[in-house]
Amino acid sequence: MTVDRRAFLRRAGLVTGGAAAGVAATSGAADFHINQQLRYSAKAVGGYRPKNLTASIIAYRVPTTEPVVALTLTTVRRSPYTAKVLDILEREQVTATFNLIGRHVAAYPELAKRVAANHEVGNHTWSHPNPALARAPAARDQLRRGADIIAETTGRHPRVFRPPYGSISGATMMLAVSMGYPIVLWDFEFNQHGRSAAANVTHMTRQARPGSIILGHDGGTLNCDVVIDALPALIDRLREKGLQFVTTTDLLRLVASAGTRRAGQSSRRSRW
C-alpha cells in the first residue's frame, strides 16, 4: 500500500498547511511540533526565571589580538589520565581550566583537590546529562549540585559553565546566567576518535589563533592516550607561534576590556 507521507503527517498534527513545502521541510516542522506536543518547558523565560537577570557570555572563541589561548579539559574520572595531564601541565608551567563533573568530584576528592590547587575549575553539571531539552528544575539541580560539591571539596567555586556535549536548552542557559556563569564552548578540540597524536598536533597548531578555546578530555570512553601524547608537543608548537596559555576567565576578561575601550571610543566620537 502506498502512503502519502505529507497526508499522514498532517493527520498526525505534525505538519500544517504549506502545500509548496517539500519533504525536507516537513522533517524540521515535525520536530518542532513534536516538542510542542510533549510540552517541554525548557524555555529561557517563564515562572522559573530568577529575578534581576541581565546577560551573560556564550563563548566559542574570544575576538582578540592578544596572543593568548585557553586550554580546557573535562576531567576527574576513574582513569589514570587526569594525573598524567596534571604532570604535563606542571612540567610545562601551563595553567588550564578543568570543567568538573560533580559526581566524579565526590568519588575522587583528592584528585579534584589536586586539579583545583593550580588550575581554574568550571561547572560541568552533577552527572553529565544531555541538557538540550532540560527543564528549569532539572537544570537548576544539575548546576547547583555540581557547584556545591566542587566548592565543598576543593574550596574553589567554579568560575564558568560548560554544558555537556555542547548542548543547551533555554532553561539551562537561564539558570547558568542566574548563577553568574559565562557559558564556555570551544573553538576546536582534540580528535580522540582516530587521529594520531602527531596529526592532532599539526591540525591544532594550524587552527590555533589568538582567543582560541581548546577542548580535550582525559577520561571517559574517548582515546585519552591521544591527549597525553599530543599535549607536550602542542604546548611547544603553540608557544613557537607566540601564543601563551591563560585560564578561560582571563581570556574572557579581554572581551570586557575590549568592550570598554570600544564604548570609550564611541563616546569620544559622538556629538550630543
Side-chain angles (χ1 to χ4, degrees), residues 70-193:
L71 174 65
T72 70
L73 296 122
T74 298
T75 189
V76 182
R77 300 172 187 251
R78 187 178 181 180
S79 77
Y81 297 106
T82 301
K84 291 181 180 180
V85 167
L86 289 169
D87 289 343
I88 293 168
L89 297 180
E90 181 179 350
R91 185 172 67 246
E92 299 290 343
Q93 298 184 329
V94 168
T95 302
T97 299
F98 285 78
N99 296 290
L100 308 183
I101 300 167
R103 69 179 182 182
H104 296 148
V105 171
Y108 313 109
E110 294 307 313
L111 186 57
K113 290 176 184 177
R114 185 183 172 193
V115 166
N118 295 303
H119 301 279
E120 180 175 68
V121 293
N123 190 339
H124 202 46
T125 72
W126 165 255
S127 62
H128 202 268
N130 187 331
L133 295 171
R135 307 177 198 185
R140 180 171 54 200
D141 181 65
Q142 282 287 329
L143 284 163
R144 287 184 177 172
R145 289 182 71 190
D148 287 348
I149 193 63
I150 291 168
E152 178 185 327
T153 303
T154 69
R156 302 272 300 278
H157 290 277
R159 304 291 300 278
V160 299
F161 169 59
R162 168 162 288 154
Y165 311 106
S167 301
I168 193 166
S169 69
T172 306
M173 179 182 68
M174 176 177 69
L175 271 299
V177 173
S178 76
M179 296 176 71
Y181 290 135
I183 299 168
V184 179
L185 300 171
W186 55 91
D187 191 12
F188 59 89
E189 61 185 306
F190 285 86
N191 184 320
Q192 296 177 241
H193 297 284

Side-chain angles (χ1 to χ4, degrees), residues 57 59 62 160 182-184 213 247-257:
I57 291 171
V62 170
V160 299
I183 299 168
V184 179
I213 299 172
T247 66
T248 304
T249 299
D250 286 337
L251 192 64
L252 294 177
R253 285 195 185 104
L254 297 176
V255 177
S257 61

Side-chain angles (χ1 to χ4, degrees), residues 165-250:
Y165 311 106
S167 301
I168 193 166
S169 69
T172 306
M173 179 182 68
M174 176 177 69
L175 271 299
V177 173
S178 76
M179 296 176 71
Y181 290 135
I183 299 168
V184 179
L185 300 171
W186 55 91
D187 191 12
F188 59 89
E189 61 185 306
F190 285 86
N191 184 320
Q192 296 177 241
H193 297 284
R195 184 173 287 163
S196 68
N200 264 282
V201 172
T202 299
H203 178 71
M204 296 172 76
T205 301
R206 187 181 300 120
Q207 293 215 107
R209 49 185 165 167
S212 285
I213 299 172
I214 305 166
L215 169 64
H217 294 78
D218 55 3
T221 59
L222 297 173
N223 178 9
C224 297
D225 285 315
V226 167
V227 175
I228 302 300
D229 294 341
L231 191 53
L234 179 65
I235 292 169
D236 288 344
R237 294 278 290 275
L238 295 191
R239 282 174 168 166
E240 289 171 3
K241 285 186 69 168
L243 297 170
Q244 297 300 315
F245 293 88
V246 298
T247 66
T248 304
T249 299
D250 286 337

